[in-house]
Structure formats: structure tokens, C-alpha cells
Amino acid sequence: MLPSVRSVLERIAFRAGSPVSSRGLKTLKIGLIPGDGIGKEVIPTGRQVLEALPVEDGLKFQFVDLIAGFECFKATGVALPEETVKLLQEECDGALFGAVSSPTTKVAGYSSPIVALRKKLGLYANVRPVKSVGDDRPVDMVIVRENTEDLYVKEEKIWTLEDGSKVAEAIKRITEKASYNIGKVAFDLAVQRGTSRAASAIPTLHPNGPIVTITHKSNVLSTTDGLFRETVRKVYENNKDKYEAVQVQEQIVDSMVYRMFREPEIFDVVVAPNLYGDILSDGAAALVGSLGVIPSANVGDTFVIGEPCHGSAPDIEGKNIANPIATIRSTALMLEFMGYAKPAARIHAAVDAHMVEKKLRTPDLGGSATTTQVTEDIIKRL
């Protein structure tokens, strides 16, 4: 199971003072944003798992149903309603986001709501653990992706030359502040993972201590990726006492892809700019069978949104065969970052036990089980 990462981000101060019920349970209000496609099928599984947590974990949940996505845009003309943002900011302790069907061609007025949410809520880090469970190929890495800039600032333009041909241009923005923030998340997470492994009797892929691999393309993009590389290294240089146990490595992004598939066991914490991190984490899913099992957490200083890494998968929408594991693990990650390590560990352990048994597997993992069957099996193991 994943170690708790709540303690490693010292700057995160989530909302305190949620009401305590008469039964002595702390009430957490969770926003649910299914979005598009299979998001509407898997986000309810996260709710079911939270509701099934035993009383001994001391938590009770209330849920706020919210809308966003391409379907919302087609119905209302707005992909991310201000009311959704307001309720998240003012009423919710955390949230789960499903998936969004962003069209591959430009649609006037439309922009991805999850990208907008990350910016509006200051969710500058995307943490994506990739770990094999009951698999012959050992993988245990976390990809820490900068979440707010790079090419995802979406500043593009197109013009026509005198000869009639078109030129399209996109801005790649890297800032020292964002790079420092994401570097600190990566190094803090590496320290926490190292501490957790040292306290465990379970054999580890990284017996010589935690490793942070800085991924970039500064051999070509010496200004933008160069600033990212230098700034993340500065995090280490400025905090050597704190990070003395961490080994620092670098990989050019194309070499990183090659080595990640050839020898994934050598990687521990991988930190990357937005686009590279997005590509690497989706690729890494192939190492453990499917995007359907890869969770993520969008994390800022005051809020966290759990989000499965898969897309909206319109081809299987409504068939009850979407893999709910990525959402269930994302639910656990959300709890970890909110400071509730015990129920998060319980969820991870239930998912691990389910996956080791290999009895019920959705089609993406070569089986014929339904979303409902997998969810019910995991809940029984809580």
C-alpha cells in the first residue's frame, strides 16, 4: 500500500473544524464531479467506498453533487460553472473528479474544466503513484507532475503567411516559483517514502534510500526546461540537511521513456513539467496493466481533488465495465492528503487484496467482471 503523504507537505493546511456528529464521528463534505463518459459510473464507486468505511475510522461523509465537463458545456455554454468552483471553495473539504471529454478539434468557447479547476484552486501538484500488485514485474514509483503551467497555459495563436500556408504557435511557460513548489513536493515525498520503507519489514526496490529523478529536455529547451532543472536542483541545494538521504538523478525525457519501460524498478520519485508528467504517467500505466488502476491527487496548499488517470472512455460508457480501481485509489489518496491515513490505508489494502486474488477483473485487465462486481468485492474487504 502507499505510504501516507500528508505529513510530507508541511505547507498544506486543510480546513479544520468540520462538525462532529452526536456519534462522535467527524463529518467531511466531499464534492463529487463526475464530468463526462464513464466518470458518471466510477465517481459513485468512490462515494460507496467512503460510505462503507467502518465507524472505527471516525469519519462520516456528506456529498455535494457538482457539474462540469463537455456535456455541461454543450447544455449550458459553460464547461466549469462558477457555482461549482464556489461550492468547492466555500463548502467542501475535498473532492473527486471523474473524467472529461475534451474534443480533439477546437470548439469555440470550450476549455478543459479540470485544467481550469487546478488553476482556480491552486492545485499545483499532481501526484500519480504507479505500483505493481501481485505482478511479476516490480514497479513502485510516483510521478510528481507540475500542474499549472508549461504548454498547458493554453496560449496559442495561428496566422497565415504570404504564401497562404498556416503557422501555429504555442507558449511553453515555466516559472521559478511553480518549479520550486513542485520540486519541494517531490523531495518531501521521497523523504516520506524512504522513512516509511525503513520502518517496514517488507523488501523494497530501493534499499539504498529514496531517489528523485528530475525529467526534462534542457539539452534542447535550455531556457524553459533549463529553468525547471536548475530550480528543482535548487530545492535540494537549499535544504541539504533535510534531504541528505535522497539521491538526485536526471533523465532527458526521451531517455526517461526508454528506461522506464526497460527497467522501471530503478525509479522512485519522478518529477517533471506538466506535459512530460502527463505523458509519462499514462505510459507508466502500461507497466501495471491499465490506466484503470492508476490514481492521482491534484494537491494545493488548502485543497485536494482525487482524480482517476483514465479518460472519459465514451466507447464503454453505460456498459458497467469501467474499472473503478483508479477512482477508489484516488479516493484513498484524497484522504491521505487530507490527513486521514488510517482509512486511506484501509482502502489501499482492500484494493491490493482484490488485485492479488485476480478473481474479478474488468475487461481492461483481461476479465469480464463489471464495475459493480469489482466495487462490491473491494467494499467487502474493507
Side-chain angles (χ1 to χ4, degrees), residues 73-105:
F73 174 80
K74 289 190 291 185
T76 68
V78 179
L80 179 62
E82 284 300 321
E83 183 69 9
T84 293
V85 178
K86 182 179 179 181
L87 288 170
L88 288 172
Q89 291 173 327
E90 298 180 1
E91 294 193 18
C92 297
D93 298 293
L96 296 173
F97 185 95
V100 59
S101 295
S102 292
T104 55
T105 57

Short mmCIF file of all heavy atoms in Angstrom, two decimals, residues 73-105:
data_model
loop_
_atom_site.label_atom_id
_atom_site.label_comp_id
_atom_site.label_asym_id
_atom_site.label_seq_id
_atom_site.Cartn_x
_atom_site.Cartn_y
_atom_site.Cartn_z
N PHE A 73 -20.90 21.84 -20.92
CA PHE A 73 -20.68 22.95 -21.87
C PHE A 73 -21.73 22.94 -22.97
O PHE A 73 -22.29 23.98 -23.34
CB PHE A 73 -19.28 22.84 -22.46
CG PHE A 73 -19.01 23.83 -23.56
CD1 PHE A 73 -18.68 25.14 -23.26
CD2 PHE A 73 -19.07 23.44 -24.88
CE1 PHE A 73 -18.43 26.07 -24.28
CE2 PHE A 73 -18.82 24.36 -25.91
CZ PHE A 73 -18.50 25.68 -25.59
N LYS A 74 -22.01 21.76 -23.50
CA LYS A 74 -22.99 21.67 -24.59
C LYS A 74 -24.39 22.05 -24.11
O LYS A 74 -25.19 22.59 -24.87
CB LYS A 74 -22.99 20.25 -25.17
CG LYS A 74 -21.74 19.93 -25.97
CD LYS A 74 -21.86 18.63 -26.74
CE LYS A 74 -21.88 17.44 -25.82
NZ LYS A 74 -21.89 16.15 -26.58
N ALA A 75 -24.67 21.78 -22.84
CA ALA A 75 -26.01 22.06 -22.31
C ALA A 75 -26.16 23.50 -21.84
O ALA A 75 -27.25 24.08 -21.94
CB ALA A 75 -26.30 21.12 -21.15
N THR A 76 -25.06 24.09 -21.34
CA THR A 76 -25.17 25.41 -20.70
C THR A 76 -24.29 26.48 -21.33
O THR A 76 -24.44 27.66 -21.03
CB THR A 76 -24.79 25.32 -19.22
OG1 THR A 76 -23.38 25.02 -19.10
CG2 THR A 76 -25.60 24.23 -18.51
N GLY A 77 -23.32 26.06 -22.17
CA GLY A 77 -22.37 27.02 -22.73
C GLY A 77 -21.19 27.29 -21.84
O GLY A 77 -20.31 28.08 -22.18
N VAL A 78 -21.13 26.61 -20.68
CA VAL A 78 -20.04 26.79 -19.72
C VAL A 78 -19.52 25.42 -19.30
O VAL A 78 -20.30 24.56 -18.88
CB VAL A 78 -20.51 27.57 -18.47
CG1 VAL A 78 -19.36 27.72 -17.48
CG2 VAL A 78 -21.05 28.93 -18.87
N ALA A 79 -18.20 25.20 -19.39
CA ALA A 79 -17.62 23.91 -19.02
C ALA A 79 -17.41 23.79 -17.51
O ALA A 79 -17.49 22.70 -16.94
CB ALA A 79 -16.29 23.69 -19.74
N LEU A 80 -17.12 24.93 -16.86
CA LEU A 80 -16.89 24.93 -15.42
C LEU A 80 -17.71 26.05 -14.80
O LEU A 80 -17.26 27.19 -14.72
CB LEU A 80 -15.40 25.12 -15.10
CG LEU A 80 -15.03 25.15 -13.61
CD1 LEU A 80 -15.39 23.84 -12.93
CD2 LEU A 80 -13.53 25.46 -13.45
N PRO A 81 -18.93 25.75 -14.35
CA PRO A 81 -19.77 26.79 -13.77
C PRO A 81 -19.13 27.42 -12.53
O PRO A 81 -18.49 26.73 -11.73
CB PRO A 81 -21.04 26.02 -13.38
CG PRO A 81 -21.04 24.82 -14.27
CD PRO A 81 -19.60 24.46 -14.44
N GLU A 82 -19.31 28.72 -12.37
CA GLU A 82 -18.77 29.41 -11.21
C GLU A 82 -19.35 28.85 -9.92
O GLU A 82 -18.68 28.84 -8.88
CB GLU A 82 -19.06 30.91 -11.31
CG GLU A 82 -18.18 31.65 -12.29
CD GLU A 82 -16.70 31.55 -11.94
OE1 GLU A 82 -16.37 31.61 -10.75
OE2 GLU A 82 -15.89 31.39 -12.88
N GLU A 83 -20.59 28.38 -9.98
CA GLU A 83 -21.22 27.80 -8.79
C GLU A 83 -20.46 26.56 -8.31
O GLU A 83 -20.32 26.31 -7.11
CB GLU A 83 -22.67 27.44 -9.08
CG GLU A 83 -23.45 26.88 -7.90
CD GLU A 83 -23.71 27.92 -6.81
OE1 GLU A 83 -23.44 29.12 -7.05
OE2 GLU A 83 -24.18 27.52 -5.73
N THR A 84 -19.95 25.78 -9.26
CA THR A 84 -19.15 24.59 -8.90
C THR A 84 -17.89 25.01 -8.15
O THR A 84 -17.55 24.45 -7.11
CB THR A 84 -18.79 23.79 -10.16
OG1 THR A 84 -19.98 23.23 -10.72
CG2 THR A 84 -17.81 22.67 -9.85
N VAL A 85 -17.19 25.99 -8.69
CA VAL A 85 -15.97 26.48 -8.04
C VAL A 85 -16.28 27.06 -6.66
O VAL A 85 -15.59 26.78 -5.68
CB VAL A 85 -15.28 27.54 -8.92
CG1 VAL A 85 -14.02 28.08 -8.22
CG2 VAL A 85 -14.91 26.96 -10.28
N LYS A 86 -17.34 27.84 -6.57
CA LYS A 86 -17.71 28.48 -5.31
C LYS A 86 -18.02 27.45 -4.23
O LYS A 86 -17.58 27.58 -3.08
CB LYS A 86 -18.91 29.40 -5.53
CG LYS A 86 -19.35 30.16 -4.28
CD LYS A 86 -20.54 31.06 -4.59
CE LYS A 86 -20.99 31.80 -3.33
NZ LYS A 86 -22.16 32.68 -3.59
N LEU A 87 -18.78 26.42 -4.58
CA LEU A 87 -19.14 25.40 -3.60
C LEU A 87 -17.91 24.61 -3.15
O LEU A 87 -17.79 24.25 -1.98
CB LEU A 87 -20.19 24.45 -4.19
CG LEU A 87 -21.59 25.05 -4.33
CD1 LEU A 87 -22.50 24.13 -5.14
CD2 LEU A 87 -22.20 25.32 -2.95
N LEU A 88 -16.99 24.34 -4.07
CA LEU A 88 -15.76 23.67 -3.69
C LEU A 88 -14.96 24.52 -2.71
O LEU A 88 -14.43 24.02 -1.71
CB LEU A 88 -14.91 23.37 -4.94
CG LEU A 88 -15.42 22.26 -5.86
CD1 LEU A 88 -14.58 22.22 -7.14
CD2 LEU A 88 -15.38 20.90 -5.17
N GLN A 89 -14.86 25.81 -3.00
CA GLN A 89 -14.06 26.71 -2.17
C GLN A 89 -14.68 26.96 -0.80
O GLN A 89 -13.97 27.05 0.20
CB GLN A 89 -13.87 28.04 -2.89
CG GLN A 89 -12.98 27.97 -4.12
CD GLN A 89 -12.95 29.26 -4.90
OE1 GLN A 89 -13.95 29.99 -4.96
NE2 GLN A 89 -11.81 29.57 -5.51
N GLU A 90 -16.00 27.07 -0.76
CA GLU A 90 -16.65 27.52 0.46
C GLU A 90 -17.27 26.42 1.31
O GLU A 90 -17.45 26.60 2.51
CB GLU A 90 -17.73 28.55 0.10
CG GLU A 90 -17.18 29.81 -0.57
CD GLU A 90 -18.27 30.81 -0.92
OE1 GLU A 90 -19.46 30.53 -0.62
OE2 GLU A 90 -17.94 31.87 -1.49
N GLU A 91 -17.59 25.28 0.70
CA GLU A 91 -18.32 24.28 1.46
C GLU A 91 -17.63 22.93 1.56
O GLU A 91 -17.93 22.16 2.48
CB GLU A 91 -19.72 24.08 0.85
CG GLU A 91 -20.62 25.29 0.96
CD GLU A 91 -22.07 24.96 0.64
OE1 GLU A 91 -22.42 23.75 0.67
OE2 GLU A 91 -22.84 25.89 0.37
N CYS A 92 -16.73 22.61 0.63
CA CYS A 92 -16.19 21.25 0.58
C CYS A 92 -14.82 21.13 1.24
O CYS A 92 -14.01 22.05 1.19
CB CYS A 92 -16.10 20.78 -0.87
SG CYS A 92 -17.71 20.66 -1.69
N ASP A 93 -14.59 19.96 1.85
CA ASP A 93 -13.29 19.66 2.45
C ASP A 93 -12.35 19.00 1.46
O ASP A 93 -11.13 19.01 1.63
CB ASP A 93 -13.49 18.74 3.66
CG ASP A 93 -14.34 19.39 4.74
OD1 ASP A 93 -13.88 20.37 5.33
OD2 ASP A 93 -15.47 18.92 4.96
N GLY A 94 -12.89 18.39 0.43
CA GLY A 94 -12.13 17.72 -0.61
C GLY A 94 -13.08 17.37 -1.74
O GLY A 94 -14.29 17.63 -1.65
N ALA A 95 -12.56 16.77 -2.81
CA ALA A 95 -13.43 16.47 -3.95
C ALA A 95 -12.89 15.31 -4.76
O ALA A 95 -11.70 14.97 -4.68
CB ALA A 95 -13.60 17.70 -4.84
N LEU A 96 -13.79 14.71 -5.54
CA LEU A 96 -13.43 13.68 -6.52
C LEU A 96 -13.90 14.14 -7.89
O LEU A 96 -15.03 14.60 -8.03
CB LEU A 96 -14.11 12.35 -6.18
CG LEU A 96 -13.69 11.68 -4.86
CD1 LEU A 96 -14.57 10.45 -4.60
CD2 LEU A 96 -12.22 11.29 -4.91
N PHE A 97 -13.01 14.03 -8.87
CA PHE A 97 -13.34 14.42 -10.25
C PHE A 97 -13.22 13.17 -11.12
O PHE A 97 -12.26 12.42 -11.02
CB PHE A 97 -12.37 15.49 -10.73
CG PHE A 97 -12.71 16.05 -12.09
CD1 PHE A 97 -13.45 17.21 -12.22
CD2 PHE A 97 -12.29 15.41 -13.25
CE1 PHE A 97 -13.77 17.73 -13.47
CE2 PHE A 97 -12.60 15.91 -14.51
CZ PHE A 97 -13.34 17.08 -14.61
N GLY A 98 -14.20 12.97 -12.01
CA GLY A 98 -14.23 11.76 -12.83
C GLY A 98 -13.40 11.83 -14.09
O GLY A 98 -12.25 11.42 -14.13
N ALA A 99 -13.97 12.38 -15.15
CA ALA A 99 -13.28 12.44 -16.44
C ALA A 99 -13.92 13.53 -17.28
O ALA A 99 -15.04 13.97 -17.02
CB ALA A 99 -13.37 11.10 -17.15
N VAL A 100 -13.20 13.96 -18.31
CA VAL A 100 -13.73 15.00 -19.18
C VAL A 100 -13.47 14.61 -20.63
O VAL A 100 -12.41 14.09 -20.98
CB VAL A 100 -13.10 16.37 -18.86
CG1 VAL A 100 -11.59 16.35 -19.02
CG2 VAL A 100 -13.72 17.46 -19.72
N SER A 101 -14.47 14.82 -21.48
CA SER A 101 -14.36 14.51 -22.91
C SER A 101 -13.95 15.76 -23.67
O SER A 101 -14.80 16.44 -24.26
CB SER A 101 -15.69 13.97 -23.44
OG SER A 101 -16.03 12.76 -22.85
N SER A 102 -12.68 16.07 -23.64
CA SER A 102 -12.21 17.24 -24.40
C SER A 102 -12.09 16.88 -25.87
O SER A 102 -11.40 15.92 -26.21
CB SER A 102 -10.86 17.71 -23.85
OG SER A 102 -11.00 18.24 -22.57
N PRO A 103 -12.73 17.62 -26.75
CA PRO A 103 -12.67 17.31 -28.18
C PRO A 103 -11.27 17.53 -28.73
O PRO A 103 -10.51 18.37 -28.23
CB PRO A 103 -13.66 18.30 -28.79
CG PRO A 103 -13.74 19.42 -27.80
CD PRO A 103 -13.56 18.81 -26.46
N THR A 104 -10.89 16.75 -29.75
CA THR A 104 -9.55 16.85 -30.33
C THR A 104 -9.43 18.04 -31.28
O THR A 104 -8.33 18.45 -31.62
CB THR A 104 -9.20 15.56 -31.09
OG1 THR A 104 -10.22 15.29 -32.06
CG2 THR A 104 -9.10 14.38 -30.13
N THR A 105 -10.54 18.57 -31.73
CA THR A 105 -10.53 19.77 -32.56
C THR A 105 -11.08 20.95 -31.77
O THR A 105 -11.84 20.77 -30.81
CB THR A 105 -11.38 19.57 -33.84
OG1 THR A 105 -12.71 19.22 -33.46
CG2 THR A 105 -10.79 18.47 -34.70
#
